[in-house]
Amino acid sequence: MAERTVRIGSSHGLHARPAKLFTQAAAASGAKVTLAKGSGKPVNASSILGVISLGVDFGDYVTLTADGDNADAVLDQLVELLVTDHDE
């Protein structure tokens, strides 16, 4: 299992548009990916409702975990989406 902790780069956090991009990429990866805010309960990273329910704002730290083939590569791709400001 691979894990990464990153700081959210979108100036308005993980609202609908960046959450959609993130969950679509997580689903397409084929890996089992979870996302957690702080020490909170992890949610399925492929679930837009789960991701939005975390209430992730700009600057918050989240932890991603992935299990499966190429878990590290999957997390590298997803981390890039999370640190990018999609609100510019």
Side-chain angles (χ1 to χ4, degrees):
M1 181 165 303
E3 181 177 298
R4 306 268 195 296
T5 299
V6 297
R7 186 172 179 253
I8 298 299
S10 275
S11 56
H12 296 290
L14 280 182
H15 61 85
R17 183 171 171 268
K20 178 183 174 190
L21 295 171
F22 175 78
T23 57
Q24 287 177 335
S29 73
K32 181 180 181 207
V33 183
T34 64
L35 179 71
K37 178 180 171 183
S39 60
K41 182 179 175 186
V43 299
N44 179 346
S46 299
S47 167
I48 193 160
L49 291 177
V51 170
I52 289 175
S53 74
L54 292 174
V56 178
D57 293 320
F58 171 74
D60 285 347
Y61 285 89
V62 295
T63 301
L64 288 155
T65 62
D67 195 18
D69 294 338
N70 300 318
D72 284 313
V74 167
L75 289 186
D76 289 342
Q77 176 191 13
L78 294 175
V79 162
E80 187 62 33
L81 287 171
L82 293 176
V83 299
T84 301
D85 188 354
H86 298 282
D87 297 312
E88 289 187 319

